[in-house]
Amino acid sequence: TALYVGINICMLVIAPVAGFFVSGVFMSMYVDIGSTDLSTLTITPRDPRWVGAWWAGFLLCSAAFCLVSIPFFMMPNEMKSRDKTKKQLVQKAKQKMTTKEIIRGIPAALKRLVLNGVYMGVVFCVVCELSNTHGLGSFQAKFMEAQYSLTASQANFLVGAGAVAGTAFGLLLGGYLVKRFK
């Protein structure tokens, strides 16, 4: 439903924002966590030569992905079907199709997708929204560092905080309104 599409797109926006917050935390830590005595360093996070612990975010995300993947390993290979028509569709889908048959079916499948107004509307909105946020998100933190003399950590926090509220609220409201007024 439209509400679920809104929630899904909202999660697509919240994930990069969470990434900005996490990178803000790790960019304030020196790259060699634990192996360098910070009291002997002559540079601070405000120094352009400072290198934050950029790699720590990858470790955190990898651990989170592993944790989230555990329930998927407990799923059955096939879901039980409730009625005969579903069983017939599954059996038909399992039949071997030749490469020619697959290629012949592509134009019809594309036509169905392109003529589906709701689908094309969602695709258009997602493309516009993601091109805007990704284009801005790629360079906004670095711009704020240079323009306002912020540290990388501070800039990442500000970019993430500024993006999350308006975008999440707008997407959830849009999903609710589409569901409400169909």
Side-chain angles (χ1 to χ4, degrees):
T1 66
L3 179 64
Y4 295 128
V5 170
I7 291 170
N8 188 17
I9 295 172
C10 184
M11 291 299 123
L12 287 173
V13 173
I14 289 175
V17 171
F20 277 114
F21 285 135
V22 169
S23 70
V25 170
F26 289 131
M27 291 303 287
S28 64
M29 299 176 190
Y30 192 63
V31 70
D32 294 331
I33 296 174
S35 64
T36 303
D37 184 16
L38 295 180
S39 62
T40 62
L41 284 178
T42 58
I43 59 175
T44 65
R46 289 205 170 276
D47 193 316
R49 296 173 296 166
W50 179 270
V51 178
W54 57 269
W55 51 268
F58 289 107
L59 291 178
L60 181 70
C61 288
S62 297
F65 289 146
C66 287
L67 187 67
V68 169
S69 71
I70 291 171
F72 289 101
F73 289 111
M74 298 175 193
M75 299 289 283
N77 288 339
E78 291 183 15
M79 300 300 283
K80 293 181 181 177
S81 182
R82 291 188 185 171
D83 57 8
K84 293 179 183 180
T85 57
K86 286 183 183 178
K87 286 182 182 178
Q88 291 171 351
L89 287 173
V90 169
Q91 288 175 351
K92 185 177 179 183
K94 285 184 178 180
Q95 291 175 353
K96 283 283 186 181
M97 292 180 66
T98 64
T99 306
K100 252 185 190 178
E101 291 172 333
I102 293 171
I103 292 172
R104 283 185 188 155
I106 290 175
L110 286 175
K111 182 180 176 185
R112 280 195 311 273
L113 284 176
V114 170
L115 294 178
N116 186 336
V118 173
Y119 174 76
M120 290 306 291
V122 169
V123 167
F124 177 74
C125 290
V126 169
V127 166
C128 289
E129 189 264 329
L130 290 179
S131 65
N132 182 20
T133 57
H134 285 16
L136 182 66
S138 298
F139 302 106
Q140 186 177 14
K142 196 64 176 171
F143 172 77
M144 290 175 70
E145 284 179 54
Q147 193 70 22
Y148 302 114
S149 300
L150 298 173
T151 65
S153 176
Q154 292 170 328
N156 281 330
F157 274 125
L158 288 174
V159 169
V164 71
T167 307
F169 177 74
L171 288 170
L172 286 172
L173 179 66
Y176 172 75
L177 290 175
V178 168
K179 179 182 179 185
R180 173 102 170 125
F181 299 111
K182 292 187 183 186

